[in-house]
Amino acid sequence: LDYRLVENVAELRDALDPHLGVRVIHARTSRGSTERPQGNPAAIPHDVFRSSNHPAETPIVFLHGFTDTVASWEHLTEHLVVTRALTLPGHGGQTKALDWTQAMGWLQESLAGQKVHLVGYSMGGRLALAYASTHPEDVLTLTTIGAHAGLPDVDRASRVQADEALACLAEADLEAFLVRWAQTPILNLTKPRPEVLHAKHLRRRQNRGTGLADALRKLGPGSMPTLRPEDLVMPALFVAGSLDTKYVATAQELAQRASKGTVAIVDSAGHAVHEDQPHAFIDLLKHHVR
C-alpha cells in the first residue's frame, strides 16, 4: 500500500483525500496538542479550505509547483482570510495526471462556478495562466510566480526529451529522482535553511513516481500549449525573484503583453519567491487582490 507520513493538520487533510484509494497514513501526534482536524474525514475533499468563517469573501486559490503539495502554501495562508489550495494532477499520491485540456476541465469543476483570485507557482503558475486565458469569467485576479506562456517551437523537442528522461527516472526510483530534481540549478538560486529543505523533501516524498512522471509528460513545458497573455482581461501580477534573471525577463514580457499586467521583482529571492521572501510576497498579494 501507499504509505504517507503526515506531520501537521494541513498534510493530514490532504492525505485523507478519498480519491486517493487505499493507503496507510502515519500521523504523529502530541498529548498536549489541541489542534485537531475538523469535520468528517470521509468527506474531506481533494483540497484544503481555510477561514471558513468568511464564506462570503472571494477565495484565493493556490496551485503549487511540480513535485510539491498544498502544504507548501501553509506559511502564507495563515496570514490571509479565505484561501483554498488544490492538489495538482499527478501529485499527492495520484498515479495518473491529466493533459492540458483535461486539466482545464478539472480546474473548472474544482472552482464550481465560483469567481476566485488565482495564484500559481511554476507548473501551478502555468496552469493558472492557461485557465485565466481560457476561462476569464472565473478569475478576478491572476498572480503567477516563475511561470511562462509556453516554449518557443524550436525548444519543444529537446524539452520533451529531457522531461522523458526524468519521467523514466521517477518511475524507476522516486528517491533518486527527487535527489536529481532538488539539484536543478534554477531551484538553488538561494540557500534555504536546513529545516526548510527537510520539510520540502518530506512533502515531495508524499508523491508517487508514476504520478510525477505522468505529470511531466502531460503537463510539462514541452506539451504545454502556447498561451497569449493578450487574452487576459483581469488584473494580472507576474512575480519573479531578483536572482532569477531568466524569469525576471519573462515576467516583464508577460506584464507588457497583458492589458492589465504588472510585474513585481522581489529582492533577494530566487525562483520560489513565496518561499524565499514570504512576507514580501504576502504584501504583494494582499495589495493585488484587495
Side-chain angles (χ1 to χ4, degrees):
L1 296 179
D2 182 34
Y3 165 82
R4 181 179 303 187
L5 171 65
V6 299
E7 296 186 326
N8 57 55
V9 172
E11 291 179 1
L12 180 60
R13 290 193 188 101
D14 188 37
L16 290 173
D17 176 359
H19 297 87
L20 298 180
V22 180
R23 68 270 188 210
V24 175
I25 301 172
H26 177 184
R28 291 175 174 165
T29 63
S30 168
R31 276 186 173 275
S33 175
T34 59
E35 186 181 33
R36 303 178 63 182
Q38 301 296 315
N40 179 5
I44 293 179
H46 67 290
D47 51 16
V48 174
F49 292 85
R50 283 192 158 271
S51 305
S52 57
N53 293 331
H54 305 273
E57 296 201 32
T58 303
I60 304 173
V61 175
F62 293 89
L63 303 178
H64 60 78
F66 177 62
T67 75
D68 220 320
T69 72
V70 294
S72 63
W73 300 110
E74 185 73 13
H75 64 297
L76 302 181
T77 55
E78 62 187 13
H79 298 282
L80 302 166
V81 178
V82 182
T83 63
R84 182 179 176 189
L86 302 180
T87 299
L88 295 192
H91 291 70
Q94 301 173 69
T95 58
K96 294 290 184 181
L98 303 171
D99 62 28
W100 280 90
T101 300
Q102 294 168 332
M104 295 301 99
W106 160 76
L107 258 175
Q108 189 172 41
E109 181 180 354
S110 299
L111 299 183
Q114 188 174 21
K115 295 183 183 297
V116 302
H117 301 287
L118 194 55
V119 181
Y121 163 64
S122 190
M123 177 179 282
R126 291 185 283 111
L127 284 167
L129 181 59
Y131 190 80
S133 300
T134 55
H135 297 277
E137 68 280 1
D138 293 340
V139 182
L140 294 178
T141 67
L142 171 68
T143 305
T144 69
I145 311 165
H148 59 75
L151 295 177
D153 290 340
V154 294
D155 295 336
R156 286 184 180 275
S158 60
R159 184 55 185 262
V160 168
Q161 186 177 12
D163 284 348
E164 178 60 27
L166 285 172
C168 290
L169 178 60
E171 289 173 324
D173 188 337
L174 177 61
E175 287 296 330
F177 166 77
L178 292 179
V179 170
R180 174 82 63 83
W181 185 256
Q183 294 171 347
T184 304
I186 201 170
L187 302 180
N188 292 282
L189 298 173
T190 60
K191 188 175 182 180
R193 300 186 305 276
E195 63 271 21
V196 173
L197 286 174
H198 179 66
K200 184 177 291 189
H201 183 66
L202 290 179
R203 295 199 306 266
R204 286 172 171 163
R205 291 186 68 224
Q206 294 179 20
N207 298 301
R208 303 184 73 166
T210 51
L212 294 181
D214 209 38
L216 260 181
R217 291 178 176 128
K218 293 178 178 176
L219 296 173
S223 61
M224 176 183 173
T226 300
L227 305 174
R228 282 173 36 87
E230 292 84 357
D231 294 333
L232 299 172
V233 298
M234 72 292 297
L237 175 64
F238 304 101
V239 182
S242 62
L243 303 177
D244 188 2
T245 54
K246 174 183 176 180
Y247 277 90
V248 166
T250 300
Q252 290 170 338
E253 179 190 355
L254 292 174
Q256 289 174 354
R257 294 175 61 186
S259 61
K260 298 181 181 178
T262 56
V263 62
I265 309 303
V266 180
D267 289 338
S268 303
H271 192 59
V273 173
H274 60 299
E275 296 178 353
D276 295 340
Q277 297 292 341
H279 295 296
F281 179 73
I282 289 170
D283 289 342
L284 285 170
L285 186 58
K286 285 182 176 180
H287 179 77
H288 184 55
V289 305
R290 68 182 180 184

